[in-house]
């Protein structure tokens, strides 16, 4: 079945790097995503990676994908207090008889200590 | 460019009533998905619409229904409300119907059932 797991909480000091980890079970996953949710808001797409890529970098964000272990990570360099939010890992894949749906993990609440 | 608009933002209903939530996607986006977000269950997929057709459905009872209009606007309806339906309902639109390049989420409708 489809399942995405993440640790629920992470606390880091301002200026340090944050690493948020995610594991997924569906080996046919095609796309993997990281979303950010701030209090009272919807989810904001931060970045995504195709399953045939190992790494993607976008400014302070680095996504690493280990397809063999079905492990995805998001590294935030120089973490700022404004990065405090819930981060969701998500995956989607093609289905033979239907269309993709996106499966989300439970979210990791990142707290940045000034 | 306007984002995804959900109305109303907040709603309080009584058990047994029904409710209709509205979502206007980003102009040009033809796919609309709905998610229910609760502290206990996280983000649960409700359904996805593309070109006025329901393409995918999550594991929710028949009390939850939706539709999409020719202008891509979508509504979801919950009949015979239960206390457990209290949640943040998020709508997301995407350009590609498979949601492959990620969703743009609205800010959600916070439904409280009393």
């Amino acid at each position: 079945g489809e399942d995405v797991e993440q640790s629920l909480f992470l606390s880091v000091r301002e200026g340090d790097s944050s690493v948020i980890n995610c594991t997924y079970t569906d080996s046919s996953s095609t796309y993997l995503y990281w979303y950010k949710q701030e209090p009272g808001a919807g989810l904001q797409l931060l970045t995504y990676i195709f399953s045939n890529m190992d790494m993607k970098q976008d400014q302070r964000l680095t996504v690493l994908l280990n397809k063999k272990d079905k492990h995805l990570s998001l590294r935030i360099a120089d973490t700022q207090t404004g990065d405090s939010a819930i981060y969701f890992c998500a995956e989607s894949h093609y289905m033979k008889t239907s269309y993709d749906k996106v499966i989300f993990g439970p979210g990791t609440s990142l707290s940045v200590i000034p | 460019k306007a984002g995804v608009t959900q109305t109303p933002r907040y709603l309080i209903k009584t058990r047994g009533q029904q409710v209709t939530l509205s979502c206007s996607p980003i102009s040009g986006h033809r796919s609309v998905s709905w998610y229910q977000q609760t502290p206990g269950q996280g983000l649960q997929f409700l359904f996805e619409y593309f070109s006025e057709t329901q393409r995918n459905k999550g594991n929710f009872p028949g009390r939850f229904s939706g539709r999409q209009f020719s202008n891509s606007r979508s509504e979801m309806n919950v009949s015979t409300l239960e206390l457990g339906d209290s949640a943040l309902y998020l709508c997301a639109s995407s350009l590609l119907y498979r949601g492959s390049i990620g969703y743009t989420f609205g800010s959600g409708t916070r439904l409280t059932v009393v």
Side-chain angles (χ1 to χ4, degrees):
Chain A
E2 309 147 337
D3 198 16
V4 178
E5 295 185 353
Q6 304 174 239
S7 53
L8 297 182
F9 302 98
L10 177 65
S11 183
V12 299
R13 293 204 173 274
E14 189 175 16
D16 287 351
S17 292
S18 308
V19 179
I20 304 171
N21 294 301
C22 166
T23 57
Y24 58 98
T25 57
D26 192 341
S27 57
S28 66
S29 294
T30 311
Y31 301 92
L32 295 129
Y33 312 85
W34 285 104
Y35 285 85
K36 175 183 180 182
Q37 186 179 33
E38 297 182 17
L43 279 70
Q44 172 197 356
L45 178 65
L46 285 178
T47 186
Y48 64 95
I49 188 169
F50 298 116
S51 58
N52 61 357
M53 296 170 63
D54 297 324
M55 185 182 94
K56 181 177 181 181
Q57 190 155 3
D58 184 3
Q59 299 182 336
R60 292 190 299 122
L61 306 179
T62 302
V63 179
L64 294 177
L65 174 61
N66 182 328
K67 200 173 177 184
K68 174 177 170 289
D69 294 338
K70 301 192 192 76
H71 182 267
L72 183 75
S73 68
L74 173 69
R75 178 176 179 270
I76 305 173
D78 186 26
T79 311
Q80 302 298 307
T81 54
D83 295 324
S84 293
I86 300 176
Y87 290 81
F88 291 90
C89 170
E91 60 94 11
S92 67
H93 59 98
Y94 291 116
M95 298 166 72
K96 290 181 182 177
T97 58
S98 184
Y99 297 92
D100 295 40
K101 57 183 178 182
V102 179
I103 306 298
F104 287 86
T108 298
S109 178
L110 174 65
S111 296
V112 182
I113 305 164
Chain B
K1 183 176 176 180
V4 177
T5 303
Q6 290 189 248
T7 56
R9 285 297 310 274
Y10 302 93
L11 209 48
I12 299 175
K13 289 286 188 178
T14 306
R15 264 186 310 173
Q17 287 187 311
Q18 75 165 19
V19 66
T20 299
L21 312 181
S22 178
C23 172
S24 294
I26 288 176
S27 178
H29 285 196
R30 295 167 64 191
S31 171
V32 174
S33 297
W34 289 88
Y35 285 82
Q36 181 196 65
Q37 186 177 26
T38 59
Q41 299 296 318
L43 278 158
Q44 302 279 305
F45 173 76
L46 281 156
F47 22 67
E48 177 182 7
Y49 287 88
F50 178 76
S51 292
E52 302 176 63
T53 301
Q54 186 180 89
R55 298 292 189 178
N56 215 335
K57 189 176 189 304
N59 296 323
F60 278 81
R63 300 185 297 108
F64 292 81
S65 63
R67 59 179 176 168
Q68 187 180 33
F69 302 95
S70 58
N71 62 359
S72 295
R73 190 177 71 86
S74 177
E75 289 182 347
M76 67 163 281
N77 184 277
V78 188
S79 62
T80 320
L81 283 165
E82 301 177 0
L83 295 179
D85 297 333
S86 294
L88 180 66
Y89 289 88
L90 291 165
C91 165
S93 74
S94 66
L95 185 59
L96 296 179
Y97 67 85
R98 289 177 183 269
S100 302
I101 58 169
Y103 293 142
T104 301
F105 278 85
S107 297
T109 294
R110 172 75 63 186
L111 172 65
T112 302
V113 182
V114 296

Short mmCIF file of all heavy atoms in Angstrom, two decimals, chain A residues 58-114:
data_model
loop_
_atom_site.label_atom_id
_atom_site.label_comp_id
_atom_site.label_asym_id
_atom_site.label_seq_id
_atom_site.Cartn_x
_atom_site.Cartn_y
_atom_site.Cartn_z
N ASP A 58 18.05 24.10 -4.70
CA ASP A 58 17.35 25.33 -5.03
C ASP A 58 17.60 26.30 -3.90
O ASP A 58 16.97 26.24 -2.85
CB ASP A 58 15.85 25.05 -5.19
CG ASP A 58 15.08 26.28 -5.62
OD1 ASP A 58 15.69 27.34 -5.85
OD2 ASP A 58 13.84 26.19 -5.75
N GLN A 59 18.57 27.19 -4.10
CA GLN A 59 18.97 28.18 -3.10
C GLN A 59 19.33 27.49 -1.79
O GLN A 59 20.27 26.69 -1.76
CB GLN A 59 17.88 29.23 -2.94
CG GLN A 59 17.61 29.99 -4.24
CD GLN A 59 16.56 31.08 -4.09
OE1 GLN A 59 15.72 31.06 -3.21
NE2 GLN A 59 16.62 32.07 -4.97
N ARG A 60 18.61 27.73 -0.70
CA ARG A 60 18.98 27.12 0.59
C ARG A 60 18.47 25.69 0.73
O ARG A 60 18.77 25.02 1.72
CB ARG A 60 18.44 27.97 1.74
CG ARG A 60 19.09 29.34 1.88
CD ARG A 60 18.68 30.03 3.18
NE ARG A 60 17.25 30.28 3.26
CZ ARG A 60 16.47 29.81 4.24
NH1 ARG A 60 16.98 29.08 5.22
NH2 ARG A 60 15.17 30.10 4.24
N LEU A 61 17.71 25.22 -0.23
CA LEU A 61 17.10 23.89 -0.13
C LEU A 61 17.86 22.87 -0.96
O LEU A 61 18.18 23.13 -2.11
CB LEU A 61 15.64 23.94 -0.61
CG LEU A 61 14.71 24.96 0.04
CD1 LEU A 61 13.33 24.87 -0.59
CD2 LEU A 61 14.64 24.74 1.53
N THR A 62 18.12 21.71 -0.35
CA THR A 62 18.71 20.58 -1.07
C THR A 62 17.86 19.36 -0.81
O THR A 62 17.59 19.02 0.35
CB THR A 62 20.16 20.31 -0.60
OG1 THR A 62 20.94 21.48 -0.78
CG2 THR A 62 20.77 19.17 -1.41
N VAL A 63 17.42 18.71 -1.87
CA VAL A 63 16.64 17.49 -1.77
C VAL A 63 17.52 16.33 -2.20
O VAL A 63 18.16 16.39 -3.25
CB VAL A 63 15.39 17.55 -2.66
CG1 VAL A 63 14.61 16.25 -2.55
CG2 VAL A 63 14.52 18.73 -2.27
N LEU A 64 17.57 15.31 -1.37
CA LEU A 64 18.31 14.09 -1.71
C LEU A 64 17.33 12.93 -1.78
O LEU A 64 16.48 12.77 -0.90
CB LEU A 64 19.37 13.80 -0.65
CG LEU A 64 20.53 14.80 -0.55
CD1 LEU A 64 21.46 14.41 0.60
CD2 LEU A 64 21.31 14.87 -1.85
N LEU A 65 17.47 12.12 -2.82
CA LEU A 65 16.60 10.96 -2.99
C LEU A 65 17.45 9.70 -3.08
O LEU A 65 18.33 9.60 -3.93
CB LEU A 65 15.75 11.11 -4.24
CG LEU A 65 14.90 9.91 -4.64
CD1 LEU A 65 13.89 9.57 -3.53
CD2 LEU A 65 14.17 10.15 -5.96
N ASN A 66 17.18 8.77 -2.21
CA ASN A 66 17.77 7.44 -2.26
C ASN A 66 16.65 6.48 -2.65
O ASN A 66 15.87 6.04 -1.81
CB ASN A 66 18.37 7.07 -0.90
CG ASN A 66 19.04 5.71 -0.92
OD1 ASN A 66 18.62 4.79 -1.64
ND2 ASN A 66 20.09 5.56 -0.13
N LYS A 67 16.59 6.19 -3.94
CA LYS A 67 15.47 5.40 -4.43
C LYS A 67 15.53 3.96 -3.94
O LYS A 67 14.51 3.33 -3.69
CB LYS A 67 15.46 5.44 -5.96
CG LYS A 67 14.13 5.09 -6.57
CD LYS A 67 14.14 5.30 -8.05
CE LYS A 67 12.80 4.86 -8.62
NZ LYS A 67 12.78 4.94 -10.09
N LYS A 68 16.73 3.46 -3.76
CA LYS A 68 16.89 2.08 -3.30
C LYS A 68 16.29 1.91 -1.90
O LYS A 68 15.58 0.94 -1.63
CB LYS A 68 18.37 1.70 -3.30
CG LYS A 68 18.71 0.35 -2.71
CD LYS A 68 20.19 0.07 -2.85
CE LYS A 68 20.60 -1.16 -2.05
NZ LYS A 68 20.55 -0.92 -0.61
N ASP A 69 16.55 2.88 -1.03
CA ASP A 69 16.04 2.81 0.33
C ASP A 69 14.69 3.51 0.48
O ASP A 69 14.14 3.56 1.58
CB ASP A 69 17.04 3.44 1.30
CG ASP A 69 18.33 2.65 1.38
OD1 ASP A 69 18.31 1.44 1.05
OD2 ASP A 69 19.37 3.22 1.76
N LYS A 70 14.21 4.11 -0.60
CA LYS A 70 12.94 4.86 -0.58
C LYS A 70 13.00 5.93 0.52
O LYS A 70 12.12 6.05 1.38
CB LYS A 70 11.74 3.94 -0.37
CG LYS A 70 11.59 2.88 -1.44
CD LYS A 70 10.22 2.21 -1.33
CE LYS A 70 10.12 0.97 -2.17
NZ LYS A 70 10.83 -0.18 -1.59
N HIS A 71 14.06 6.70 0.47
CA HIS A 71 14.31 7.72 1.48
C HIS A 71 14.52 9.06 0.80
O HIS A 71 15.29 9.19 -0.16
CB HIS A 71 15.55 7.34 2.30
CG HIS A 71 15.86 8.31 3.39
ND1 HIS A 71 16.75 9.36 3.20
CD2 HIS A 71 15.40 8.42 4.66
CE1 HIS A 71 16.82 10.06 4.32
NE2 HIS A 71 16.02 9.52 5.22
N LEU A 72 13.82 10.05 1.30
CA LEU A 72 13.88 11.41 0.78
C LEU A 72 14.25 12.35 1.93
O LEU A 72 13.77 12.16 3.05
CB LEU A 72 12.52 11.80 0.20
CG LEU A 72 12.39 13.17 -0.47
CD1 LEU A 72 13.05 13.15 -1.83
CD2 LEU A 72 10.91 13.54 -0.63
N SER A 73 15.11 13.31 1.65
CA SER A 73 15.42 14.27 2.70
C SER A 73 15.40 15.69 2.15
O SER A 73 15.62 15.91 0.95
CB SER A 73 16.78 13.97 3.34
OG SER A 73 17.83 14.20 2.42
N LEU A 74 15.13 16.61 3.04
CA LEU A 74 15.15 18.03 2.70
C LEU A 74 16.12 18.71 3.65
O LEU A 74 15.95 18.63 4.87
CB LEU A 74 13.75 18.64 2.86
CG LEU A 74 13.67 20.17 2.70
CD1 LEU A 74 13.93 20.56 1.25
CD2 LEU A 74 12.32 20.70 3.16
N ARG A 75 17.13 19.34 3.09
CA ARG A 75 18.09 20.07 3.91
C ARG A 75 17.87 21.55 3.70
O ARG A 75 17.82 22.03 2.56
CB ARG A 75 19.53 19.69 3.54
CG ARG A 75 20.58 20.44 4.33
CD ARG A 75 21.98 19.95 3.97
NE ARG A 75 23.03 20.66 4.70
CZ ARG A 75 23.62 21.77 4.26
NH1 ARG A 75 23.29 22.27 3.09
NH2 ARG A 75 24.56 22.35 4.98
N ILE A 76 17.72 22.27 4.80
CA ILE A 76 17.58 23.73 4.74
C ILE A 76 18.85 24.32 5.34
O ILE A 76 19.14 24.11 6.52
CB ILE A 76 16.35 24.22 5.54
CG1 ILE A 76 15.08 23.50 5.06
CG2 ILE A 76 16.20 25.73 5.39
CD1 ILE A 76 13.86 23.80 5.91
N ALA A 77 19.60 25.00 4.52
CA ALA A 77 20.84 25.62 5.00
C ALA A 77 20.53 26.94 5.69
O ALA A 77 19.54 27.61 5.35
CB ALA A 77 21.79 25.84 3.83
N ASP A 78 21.37 27.29 6.68
CA ASP A 78 21.23 28.59 7.36
C ASP A 78 19.77 28.82 7.77
O ASP A 78 19.12 29.79 7.35
CB ASP A 78 21.72 29.71 6.45
CG ASP A 78 21.75 31.07 7.12
OD1 ASP A 78 21.88 31.11 8.37
OD2 ASP A 78 21.64 32.08 6.41
N THR A 79 19.25 27.92 8.58
CA THR A 79 17.82 27.96 8.95
C THR A 79 17.49 29.25 9.69
O THR A 79 18.21 29.68 10.60
CB THR A 79 17.47 26.76 9.84
OG1 THR A 79 17.97 25.57 9.23
CG2 THR A 79 15.97 26.63 10.00
N GLN A 80 16.39 29.85 9.28
CA GLN A 80 15.94 31.12 9.87
C GLN A 80 14.64 30.90 10.65
O GLN A 80 13.93 29.91 10.44
CB GLN A 80 15.69 32.14 8.76
CG GLN A 80 16.91 32.41 7.89
CD GLN A 80 18.06 32.99 8.70
OE1 GLN A 80 17.88 34.00 9.40
NE2 GLN A 80 19.23 32.36 8.63
N THR A 81 14.30 31.85 11.52
CA THR A 81 13.07 31.71 12.30
C THR A 81 11.84 31.65 11.39
O THR A 81 10.85 31.00 11.72
CB THR A 81 12.92 32.88 13.30
OG1 THR A 81 13.01 34.12 12.59
CG2 THR A 81 14.01 32.82 14.36
N GLY A 82 11.93 32.29 10.25
CA GLY A 82 10.82 32.24 9.29
C GLY A 82 10.63 30.87 8.65
O GLY A 82 9.63 30.64 7.97
N ASP A 83 11.59 29.98 8.88
CA ASP A 83 11.44 28.61 8.36
C ASP A 83 10.61 27.74 9.29
O ASP A 83 10.26 26.60 8.94
CB ASP A 83 12.83 27.96 8.17
CG ASP A 83 13.66 28.66 7.10
OD1 ASP A 83 13.07 29.11 6.10
OD2 ASP A 83 14.89 28.76 7.28
N SER A 84 10.29 28.25 10.48
CA SER A 84 9.45 27.48 11.41
C SER A 84 8.09 27.23 10.77
O SER A 84 7.39 28.17 10.38
CB SER A 84 9.26 28.24 12.73
OG SER A 84 10.48 28.35 13.42
N ALA A 85 7.75 25.97 10.62
CA ALA A 85 6.51 25.58 9.93
C ALA A 85 6.41 24.06 9.98
O ALA A 85 7.26 23.38 10.55
CB ALA A 85 6.53 26.04 8.47
N ILE A 86 5.36 23.55 9.37
CA ILE A 86 5.24 22.10 9.21
C ILE A 86 5.64 21.76 7.78
O ILE A 86 5.17 22.41 6.83
CB ILE A 86 3.80 21.62 9.50
CG1 ILE A 86 3.41 21.98 10.92
CG2 ILE A 86 3.70 20.10 9.29
CD1 ILE A 86 1.97 21.64 11.28
N TYR A 87 6.47 20.76 7.62
CA TYR A 87 6.97 20.36 6.32
C TYR A 87 6.41 18.98 5.98
O TYR A 87 6.58 18.02 6.72
CB TYR A 87 8.50 20.33 6.30
CG TYR A 87 9.08 21.73 6.37
CD1 TYR A 87 9.19 22.39 7.60
CD2 TYR A 87 9.47 22.41 5.22
CE1 TYR A 87 9.68 23.68 7.67
CE2 TYR A 87 9.97 23.71 5.30
CZ TYR A 87 10.07 24.33 6.53
OH TYR A 87 10.56 25.62 6.59
N PHE A 88 5.77 18.91 4.83
CA PHE A 88 5.16 17.66 4.39
C PHE A 88 5.93 17.07 3.22
O PHE A 88 6.23 17.76 2.24
CB PHE A 88 3.71 17.90 3.93
CG PHE A 88 2.77 18.26 5.03
CD1 PHE A 88 2.57 19.59 5.38
CD2 PHE A 88 2.07 17.28 5.72
CE1 PHE A 88 1.70 19.93 6.40
CE2 PHE A 88 1.18 17.60 6.74
CZ PHE A 88 1.01 18.93 7.08
N CYS A 89 6.22 15.81 3.35
CA CYS A 89 6.75 15.02 2.25
C CYS A 89 5.55 14.41 1.53
O CYS A 89 4.55 14.05 2.18
CB CYS A 89 7.65 13.94 2.86
SG CYS A 89 8.22 12.68 1.75
N ALA A 90 5.62 14.30 0.22
CA ALA A 90 4.50 13.71 -0.52
C ALA A 90 5.02 12.98 -1.74
O ALA A 90 6.09 13.28 -2.26
CB ALA A 90 3.50 14.80 -0.94
N GLU A 91 4.25 12.02 -2.19
CA GLU A 91 4.63 11.29 -3.39
C GLU A 91 3.41 11.06 -4.28
O GLU A 91 2.28 11.04 -3.79
CB GLU A 91 5.27 9.95 -3.01
CG GLU A 91 4.38 9.00 -2.22
CD GLU A 91 3.62 7.99 -3.04
OE1 GLU A 91 3.92 7.85 -4.25
OE2 GLU A 91 2.72 7.33 -2.49
N SER A 92 3.67 10.91 -5.54
CA SER A 92 2.60 10.55 -6.46
C SER A 92 3.16 9.61 -7.51
O SER A 92 4.37 9.52 -7.72
CB SER A 92 1.99 11.79 -7.13
OG SER A 92 2.92 12.41 -8.00
N HIS A 93 2.28 8.90 -8.17
CA HIS A 93 2.72 7.93 -9.17
C HIS A 93 1.60 7.70 -10.16
O HIS A 93 0.44 8.02 -9.91
CB HIS A 93 3.10 6.62 -8.50
CG HIS A 93 1.98 6.02 -7.71
ND1 HIS A 93 1.17 5.02 -8.21
CD2 HIS A 93 1.49 6.29 -6.48
CE1 HIS A 93 0.26 4.71 -7.31
NE2 HIS A 93 0.44 5.45 -6.25
N TYR A 94 1.97 7.16 -11.30
CA TYR A 94 0.96 6.83 -12.28
C TYR A 94 0.24 5.56 -11.86
O TYR A 94 0.84 4.63 -11.38
CB TYR A 94 1.59 6.61 -13.66
CG TYR A 94 2.13 7.87 -14.25
CD1 TYR A 94 3.49 8.00 -14.48
CD2 TYR A 94 1.31 8.93 -14.58
CE1 TYR A 94 4.01 9.16 -15.03
CE2 TYR A 94 1.81 10.09 -15.12
CZ TYR A 94 3.17 10.21 -15.33
OH TYR A 94 3.67 11.35 -15.87
N MET A 95 -1.04 5.57 -12.04
CA MET A 95 -1.81 4.37 -11.73
C MET A 95 -2.33 3.82 -13.06
O MET A 95 -2.73 4.56 -13.94
CB MET A 95 -2.98 4.72 -10.81
CG MET A 95 -2.51 5.28 -9.46
SD MET A 95 -3.83 6.05 -8.52
CE MET A 95 -4.77 4.62 -8.03
N LYS A 96 -2.34 2.53 -13.18
CA LYS A 96 -2.67 1.91 -14.46
C LYS A 96 -4.11 2.16 -14.87
O LYS A 96 -4.42 2.36 -16.03
CB LYS A 96 -2.43 0.40 -14.39
CG LYS A 96 -0.96 0.02 -14.31
CD LYS A 96 -0.79 -1.49 -14.27
CE LYS A 96 0.68 -1.85 -14.14
NZ LYS A 96 0.87 -3.31 -14.02
N THR A 97 -5.00 2.14 -13.91
CA THR A 97 -6.41 2.22 -14.28
C THR A 97 -7.04 3.55 -13.87
O THR A 97 -8.20 3.77 -14.09
CB THR A 97 -7.20 1.08 -13.61
OG1 THR A 97 -7.02 1.18 -12.20
CG2 THR A 97 -6.73 -0.26 -14.12
N SER A 98 -6.26 4.39 -13.27
CA SER A 98 -6.82 5.66 -12.82
C SER A 98 -5.74 6.73 -12.91
O SER A 98 -4.73 6.53 -13.56
CB SER A 98 -7.34 5.51 -11.38
OG SER A 98 -7.97 6.70 -10.98
N TYR A 99 -5.96 7.79 -12.26
CA TYR A 99 -5.02 8.90 -12.33
C TYR A 99 -4.32 9.07 -11.00
O TYR A 99 -4.76 8.59 -9.98
CB TYR A 99 -5.77 10.17 -12.72
CG TYR A 99 -6.39 10.08 -14.08
CD1 TYR A 99 -7.68 9.63 -14.24
CD2 TYR A 99 -5.66 10.41 -15.22
CE1 TYR A 99 -8.24 9.51 -15.49
CE2 TYR A 99 -6.21 10.29 -16.47
CZ TYR A 99 -7.51 9.84 -16.60
OH TYR A 99 -8.06 9.72 -17.84
N ASP A 100 -3.21 9.83 -11.05
CA ASP A 100 -2.44 10.05 -9.84
C ASP A 100 -3.25 10.66 -8.73
O ASP A 100 -4.13 11.46 -8.96
CB ASP A 100 -1.32 11.07 -10.10
CG ASP A 100 -0.30 10.58 -11.07
OD1 ASP A 100 -0.71 9.95 -12.03
OD2 ASP A 100 0.88 10.85 -10.84
N LYS A 101 -2.94 10.28 -7.54
CA LYS A 101 -3.31 11.11 -6.41
C LYS A 101 -2.02 11.32 -5.62
O LYS A 101 -1.09 10.52 -5.70
CB LYS A 101 -4.37 10.45 -5.54
CG LYS A 101 -4.01 9.09 -5.01
CD LYS A 101 -5.19 8.52 -4.24
CE LYS A 101 -4.85 7.12 -3.74
NZ LYS A 101 -5.98 6.51 -3.01
N VAL A 102 -1.97 12.39 -4.89
CA VAL A 102 -0.77 12.72 -4.13
C VAL A 102 -0.98 12.26 -2.69
O VAL A 102 -1.99 12.58 -2.07
CB VAL A 102 -0.48 14.23 -4.18
CG1 VAL A 102 0.76 14.56 -3.37
CG2 VAL A 102 -0.31 14.68 -5.63
N ILE A 103 -0.04 11.47 -2.18
CA ILE A 103 -0.10 10.96 -0.82
C ILE A 103 0.87 11.76 0.05
O ILE A 103 2.05 11.88 -0.29
CB ILE A 103 0.28 9.47 -0.76
CG1 ILE A 103 -0.58 8.66 -1.73
CG2 ILE A 103 0.16 8.93 0.66
CD1 ILE A 103 -2.06 8.71 -1.43
N PHE A 104 0.36 12.28 1.14
CA PHE A 104 1.16 13.12 2.03
C PHE A 104 1.58 12.36 3.28
O PHE A 104 0.85 11.51 3.78
CB PHE A 104 0.36 14.35 2.46
CG PHE A 104 0.18 15.37 1.36
CD1 PHE A 104 -0.87 15.26 0.46
CD2 PHE A 104 1.06 16.44 1.24
CE1 PHE A 104 -1.03 16.19 -0.56
CE2 PHE A 104 0.90 17.38 0.24
CZ PHE A 104 -0.14 17.25 -0.66
N GLY A 105 2.75 12.69 3.77
CA GLY A 105 3.18 12.22 5.08
C GLY A 105 2.49 13.01 6.17
O GLY A 105 1.75 13.96 5.89
N PRO A 106 2.75 12.67 7.43
CA PRO A 106 2.08 13.34 8.56
C PRO A 106 2.61 14.73 8.84
O PRO A 106 1.99 15.49 9.58
CB PRO A 106 2.38 12.41 9.74
CG PRO A 106 3.64 11.73 9.37
CD PRO A 106 3.60 11.55 7.88
N GLY A 107 3.74 15.08 8.24
CA GLY A 107 4.29 16.41 8.47
C GLY A 107 5.30 16.43 9.61
O GLY A 107 5.12 15.74 10.61
N THR A 108 6.36 17.20 9.43
CA THR A 108 7.38 17.42 10.46
C THR A 108 7.29 18.87 10.90
O THR A 108 7.42 19.77 10.07
CB THR A 108 8.79 17.13 9.93
OG1 THR A 108 8.87 15.76 9.53
CG2 THR A 108 9.84 17.42 11.00
N SER A 109 7.06 19.07 12.19
CA SER A 109 6.99 20.43 12.71
C SER A 109 8.40 20.91 13.05
O SER A 109 9.05 20.36 13.95
CB SER A 109 6.10 20.46 13.96
OG SER A 109 6.05 21.77 14.49
N LEU A 110 8.87 21.89 12.30
CA LEU A 110 10.21 22.43 12.50
C LEU A 110 10.14 23.68 13.38
O LEU A 110 9.43 24.63 13.06
CB LEU A 110 10.85 22.78 11.16
CG LEU A 110 12.20 23.50 11.21
CD1 LEU A 110 13.26 22.60 11.83
CD2 LEU A 110 12.62 23.97 9.82
N SER A 111 10.86 23.64 14.49
CA SER A 111 10.96 24.81 15.37
C SER A 111 12.38 25.35 15.30
O SER A 111 13.33 24.59 15.49
CB SER A 111 10.64 24.41 16.82
OG SER A 111 9.31 23.97 16.93
N VAL A 112 12.49 26.63 15.03
CA VAL A 112 13.80 27.26 14.94
C VAL A 112 14.01 28.12 16.18
O VAL A 112 13.23 29.05 16.44
CB VAL A 112 13.93 28.10 13.66
CG1 VAL A 112 15.33 28.71 13.58
CG2 VAL A 112 13.64 27.26 12.44
N ILE A 113 15.04 27.81 16.92
CA ILE A 113 15.32 28.52 18.17
C ILE A 113 16.26 29.70 17.87
O ILE A 113 17.33 29.50 17.31
CB ILE A 113 15.98 27.57 19.19
CG1 ILE A 113 15.10 26.34 19.39
CG2 ILE A 113 16.23 28.29 20.51
CD1 ILE A 113 15.80 25.21 20.06
N PRO A 114 15.85 30.92 18.24
CA PRO A 114 16.69 32.08 17.95
C PRO A 114 18.02 32.03 18.70
O PRO A 114 18.13 31.43 19.76
CB PRO A 114 15.85 33.26 18.43
CG PRO A 114 14.47 32.75 18.57
CD PRO A 114 14.58 31.28 18.86
#
